[in-house]
Amino acid sequence: RPAVAFAAVESVGPKVSGELIKTAFTPWAAPSACMFYMWSALRMAVRAGGVISLIHDVLLTTLGFSCNDTVVVFDRVRENLIKYKTRPLLDLMNLTCNESLSRTIMTAVTTGIALTATLIFGGDVIRDFVIAMLWGVIVGCYSTIYVAKNIVLWLAVKRDWSKPGPSEKAPGEDIPAAFRDAP
């Protein structure tokens, strides 16, 4: 029978437990802050589209990147609702997306360039993280362009909730309550 020798004995004390709690909480701090920002900056129906888009992004590590882009697109929607009062909401959303598309793509490309340089010159220690971030920038760009505004359309946001739906009314509608300035 061979003798068993212990090379080292380790125990987990309260200090390590505290660090584990802190590292478990930290990843939720940024998403919570972004959701609070989106919740305070946007109206109810638009909030739902933005928050669902954020959940989509958190699952794919892109929260900070996409949060700003989503708010910029919805802010442009609000401006276009004032500018084009008779345009159908679907057409207005597509116009808004086309107007902000170059900004979204330029932001993604410049971020991608910096991440690619970090991938090439950063070394093995951060390579996996940079690859995840590059993927996150791509998904965040996709989310900004396709996910958030389509969820708002899917929720059937109207220009004015006190009036009948789009098939029941004539052009000349006001800005949807969902896109009015937050109280």
Side-chain angles (χ1 to χ4, degrees):
R1 193 170 198 215
V4 177
F6 293 99
V9 175
E10 296 181 20
S11 65
V12 177
K15 184 175 181 179
V16 174
S17 298
E19 288 178 23
L20 289 173
I21 290 170
K22 183 179 176 183
T23 57
F25 175 76
T26 302
W28 291 101
S32 298
C34 285
M35 282 199 190
F36 176 76
Y37 170 68
M38 197 162 281
W39 200 258
S40 65
L42 304 171
R43 298 290 273 178
M44 183 52 83
V46 180
R47 287 176 188 161
V51 168
I52 291 170
S53 164
L54 286 177
I55 292 168
H56 170 267
D57 296 338
V58 167
L59 293 175
L60 298 162
T61 69
T62 62
L63 179 72
F65 179 80
S66 184
C67 180
N68 184 49
D69 268 352
T70 302
V71 170
V72 166
V73 168
F74 283 146
D75 197 41
R76 179 64 64 94
V77 167
R78 184 178 18 218
E79 292 171 6
N80 283 342
L81 283 164
I82 295 168
K83 194 174 181 181
Y84 304 105
K85 295 185 185 232
T86 59
R87 186 169 283 197
L89 192 57
L90 175 64
D91 294 342
L92 190 112
M93 289 278 204
N94 286 332
L95 171 71
T96 300
C97 188
N98 287 333
E99 287 176 351
S100 60
L101 186 63
S102 63
R103 179 211 177 270
T104 298
I105 291 176
M106 296 271 263
T107 303
V109 167
T110 55
T111 305
I113 289 169
L115 286 171
T116 301
T118 305
L119 180 67
I120 294 168
F121 302 113
D124 293 335
V125 175
I126 61 171
R127 181 164 286 128
D128 290 339
F129 174 73
V130 173
I131 290 170
M133 289 306 298
L134 276 168
W135 175 248
V137 167
I138 292 166
V139 173
C141 190
Y142 166 83
S143 173
T144 298
I145 296 168
Y146 295 108
V147 176
K149 74 178 182 68
N150 289 326
I151 289 172
V152 171
L153 290 171
W154 179 69
L155 291 171
V157 172
K158 299 184 291 187
R159 287 182 178 260
D160 189 350
W161 287 97
S162 65
K163 297 181 181 178
S167 61
E168 307 167 14
K169 62 182 179 182
E173 349 173 67
D174 293 330
I175 298 172
F179 286 97
R180 292 188 192 127
D181 288 328

